Structures are given as structure tokens and as C-alpha cells.
Amino acid sequence: MDVTLLGTGAPQGLPRPGCPCAACATSVGDEARAATALLVDGALMIDLTPGPAFAAARAGQSLTGVRQVLLSHPHDGPVMEVPAGLPQPGRVADGRELALLDGHRVRAVAVDIPGTGYEISGATGERLLYLPPGAAPAGPVNGNGRTAGGGDTGGTGPYDLVLLDVPARPDALAKLRASGAVDAATDVVAVHIDHDVPPGPELHRRLAAAGARAVPDGSTLVVGEFHAVPDLPRRTLVLGGARSGKSVEAERRLAAFPDVVYVATGGTRDGDQDWAQRVSLHRERRPGSWRTVETCDLVPLLDAGRPGTDAGRPGTDAGRPGTDAGARGTDAEWPGPEAEGPGAGRPGETSPLLIDCLALWLTHVMDEVGAWDDATWEAGGRRALRERTDALVAAVRRTHRTVVAVSNEVGSGVVPATAAGRRFRDELGRLNAAFGAECEQLLLVVAGQALALRG
């Protein structure tokens, strides 16, 4: 089954008509995109794009064989023409199935906004899923890639190809991954691309981090043909100054993956309204499906799921909220045996970890070892801190989990006026260097822009 993308942009296209933004100004060449439309094996057309006949001809295709035109969403962009000879566009009701004479089967998939997704099966069993702009499947999706109760089309297992609005709805991709509808062999292609993400290298970098890719208008994809996406780094350290966007970048890197465990090392500070507001903003920004653990006992979490260890597992004391192993409570309890859904009965032993942040972890540890007092520091605090940081770095090296960690880059500013301030600056620099040495990818965020230092 071949799919030609006559357009890959948002309904208004990219650049948007009359828009002066930087993204639109730089959307030229392969980064200029017409409204998304699909031509499947020259016989089935999904959605319309301006000048579809010309778009097809430019892609080396013809519309003369099209027998069905389906719409997935209200077309609120430029007026769409229906070329002479094409059937009038229509829709398939949610959960209903359409069988075409050439062997294609189309099933309508309910989505969470006005519109309809389509699951398309080829005559030889290939399967793809197409979602309208800004949409995710409505309701649970089972391992066959179908919304629960959606009927049986005979296809099983993950989709071969998924086309969806990855930049706007990474949670939709996370939902499909959680259900088994998308796996490592699924070709995930971003469509409905708008001006919210800078085009060019930044767009492709963000998509690669989500395990997806973008292709130019006119590209033809062979469903079931494997396309390598850059390997997702298992360990990433995101550095940046205050308000640089480092936490947003870290969250963005895991937004398209399910069952993420967010490890907050800052805890709570009674009476500090500014801190409470910061914590609230972080919580509101995180996907509702993520679980939060507030703890500075990171080693058991990193070791969880590693062969031969029960660290971090419910029923043990190491790293469990409510024990004396450094936990500070949670705003989402670790699930017990009665819990349901992904990761039920365990604290996400193989779930990705997002640790925010190492600077607060270091502050906590320096408090515990008495590092702020010069006499205590020289009498054993230095050695105790080194043992704790060495243990953390060793856990990062041996972890089997996907880890994204955030830390402050404080070594480029004003020299602290106090000995304690200089000590913290120096120790954080050493920790960042040692932690980063164990990571496949190292990013520095400046003014909201992520610069790859490694990977």
C-alpha cells in the first residue's frame, strides 16, 4: 500500500497566508507545506488540499483513479476545490466500516475533537492510522490499534504507519504507544504541521526526540517499509540557567511516551508562596497521565527494573514514599496491587524517569552532610558528599530506564560572595560533568533554544 502526501501542513498551510511570524517567514522549500491530504494507492483520497490535481501531478500521481474522497475534519482553511471527475467528499460514521472495490477497508475512528480518524487496511494486510489535526483517539485504544468497542476489521498488532499531529498532540502518540498500537517498528510521520514549531532542523530535532519524522509534500510512503528514526537516547541531561526553558525541554522530550514518572526533588517549602507558585506551574504543565514522586532518593528509582534488584519496588523500603529513605511524600501515590492501567502494582519500574532537578538534589544532600559549615565540611562532609554523588553517577551508568534529568548551569555567572556559595557552585559543576559523562545526550538550553552538546 502506497500513500502519497499531497500536503503535510495545517489546514491553513505553512506559511500561513499573511502571517509575519518567524516560523512562517522561514517556511520555504521543503519546509513549505500545503494542507494535509493523502492519496492511497491512487484510489482513495483523505482530505483535500488547495489545487489537489496540481499537487498530485507534482508528486507524479494522477487523480483519475480516485473512487472515494473522505474528509477527516471541518476544512476551515482556504476554500477547497473538488476537481472535475472526483466523487463528492464524504465521511464515515464513527465505528463504521467502508469496503472499497479495490480491496481497501476503511474504518472510522472516534477522536476527541470534531472530526474523524481513519484506519485503512490494504488488500495484503498493511494497516495505517490517520488522525485529523489536533486530534487524539477518543476513549481507550486496545492493542490492535482500535478504540474499544470499535468492531473487528481483521487487523492485529501495531500499525505499520501512523500519521498524526505530533507537535500539537504528543499525548496522542503516548496513548497509542501505551496501548501497543504503536511500537518501535511503526513509522510515525508528523502531518498538519503548523507555525507553532520553528521549521527546519528544530522541527526535525523535536520529532526525532518523539520517535517520529516529517517528510516534504509530495512524498510517497510504502506502508510497512521500515524507516529508521534516530535512536532515542536512553539517558539525557538538560542543562540551562534560570528560566531558560530547560524544564520545558525535558518535559517535551517525554511528552510522546506513556507512563512517565516525574521525580520532583524540590519538595515543599512552608510559607514560600513563590516556590508554591513555581511548583503549581510545573504540575499544570505536565500531562495528567504522568505520575509524580517527590523524593531525593534517586538511586533506588534508577535501579528499579534492573535485573537482580528489587530496589524501588513496592514492599521494599528503598526509595518508597512514606519511608525514611529520603522520600518527601507524593502528590500521586505509587500504585498498589489493586491499581489498574499501565504500570499497575509497581512504581513504573521500566517507565521513563524525568528528574527535576539535580541542583535541588545536591542542595538536599549538602544539607544532610553538613557541607555548609566549613569545619564539618573538612571533618568528613566533603567525603560524605563525594560518596553520595558517586553513588548517583554509578546508578545512572547501570540504569536500564530511560532517564531525562534537568540541572542548572551556574558556572558562567557572577562568582558567589560566600564560601558556601562557591562550594555549591563547584560541586554542582562537578556533578553535572560526572552525570553528563554517563548520558548519551547532553543539551544546553539558552533562551528557550536547545543546543546539542552531545548526541
Side-chain angles (χ1 to χ4, degrees):
M1 185 162 58
D2 293 344
V3 178
T4 300
L5 298 175
L6 304 182
T8 56
Q12 297 187 50
L14 185 68
R16 290 191 176 194
C19 180
C21 78
C24 286
T26 54
S27 294
V28 296
D30 286 346
E31 302 301 331
R33 304 176 186 274
T36 296
L38 279 61
L39 182 61
V40 181
D41 284 338
L44 171 65
M45 191 169 179
I46 307 291
D47 286 331
L48 290 170
T49 192
F54 175 73
R58 189 172 54 183
Q61 302 288 338
S62 171
L63 300 184
T64 57
V66 173
R67 296 294 177 262
Q68 185 77 50
V69 179
L70 298 177
L71 299 180
S72 73
H73 62 96
H75 282 62
D76 54 0
V79 176
M80 299 295 177
E81 63 172 289
V82 180
L86 280 187
Q88 282 300 307
R91 287 194 184 183
V92 180
D94 289 348
R96 299 294 295 273
E97 188 175 306
L98 177 68
L100 304 183
L101 294 177
D102 61 359
H104 294 95
R105 299 173 71 89
V106 181
R107 190 181 64 89
V109 176
V111 294
D112 58 0
I113 64 170
T116 304
Y118 292 110
E119 176 187 291
I120 304 171
S121 302
T124 54
E126 307 94 336
R127 298 166 59 243
L128 71 85
L129 175 68
Y130 172 73
L131 297 179
V141 180
N142 66 29
N144 285 346
R146 298 190 195 89
T147 52
D152 183 14
T153 63
T156 58
Y159 290 110
D160 298 296
L161 172 66
V162 170
L163 303 120
L164 77 164
D165 192 346
V166 178
R169 293 299 302 269
D171 59 304
L173 183 51
K175 187 174 186 178
L176 292 169
R177 283 191 168 118
S179 71
V182 168
D183 67 4
T186 302
D187 189 12
V188 179
V189 177
V191 290
H192 313 300
I193 296 169
D194 208 349
H195 64 176
D196 298 321
V197 178
E202 178 63 11
L203 169 66
H204 298 287
R205 183 190 70 79
R206 292 189 190 185
L207 291 176
R213 65 188 181 115
V215 297
D217 287 5
S219 299
T220 295
L221 310 177
V222 179
V223 181
E225 183 178 81
F226 179 74
H227 284 270
V229 172
D231 288 337
L232 301 175
R234 189 150 50 85
R235 290 159 290 208
T236 300
L237 176 60
V238 183
L239 299 170
R243 296 294 193 269
S244 61
K246 58 186 181 297
S247 292
V248 172
E249 174 64 26
E251 292 161 12
R252 184 185 293 135
R253 299 190 71 76
L254 292 176
F257 296 90
D259 204 25
V260 174
V261 177
Y262 185 99
V263 184
T265 60
T268 58
R269 302 179 185 179
D270 294 338
D272 190 334
Q273 294 300 318
D274 179 66
W275 180 256
Q277 184 178 20
R278 290 190 184 201
V279 171
S280 177
L281 289 173
H282 276 250
R283 285 175 175 166
E284 291 173 2
R285 197 172 59 217
R286 296 197 292 267
S289 61
W290 289 11
R291 288 169 288 161
T292 300
V293 176
E294 294 181 356
T295 182
C296 280
D297 199 10
L298 303 182
V299 171
L301 287 171
L302 291 164
D303 280 344
R306 189 167 59 90
T309 178
D310 287 333
R313 194 183 296 267
T316 69
D317 289 338
R320 183 157 56 99
T323 72
D324 294 331
R328 298 186 177 182
T330 67
D331 71 349
E333 294 296 328
W334 290 22
E338 72 283 2
E340 298 180 354
R346 56 185 174 81
E349 294 168 0
T350 59
S351 301
L353 291 181
L354 197 163
I355 302 171
D356 196 353
C357 72
L358 296 182
L360 293 173
W361 177 87
L362 180 65
T363 301
H364 174 79
V365 174
M366 291 181 74
D367 285 342
E368 289 191 333
V369 303
W372 310 113
D373 180 76
D374 290 345
T376 305
W377 176 249
E378 295 299 336
R382 185 199 306 271
R383 183 178 65 255
L385 180 63
R386 193 73 68 244
E387 290 173 353
R388 296 283 291 275
T389 56
D390 287 349
L392 175 61
V393 171
V396 173
R397 168 175 283 191
R398 65 178 177 258
T399 189
H400 285 234
R401 304 181 75 156
T402 296
V403 179
V404 176
V406 179
S407 190
N408 290 81
E409 177 53 57
V410 299
S412 302
V414 177
V415 176
T418 65
R422 292 190 292 273
R423 185 169 301 149
F424 175 78
R425 176 204 61 185
D426 294 347
E427 293 303 324
L428 183 58
R430 293 188 182 100
L431 174 61
N432 288 345
F435 195 105
E438 303 300 335
C439 295
E440 289 85 354
Q441 187 165 68
L442 190 59
L443 302 175
L444 175 65
V445 180
V446 181
Q449 305 304 303
L451 309 175
L453 305 180
R454 178 193 301 143

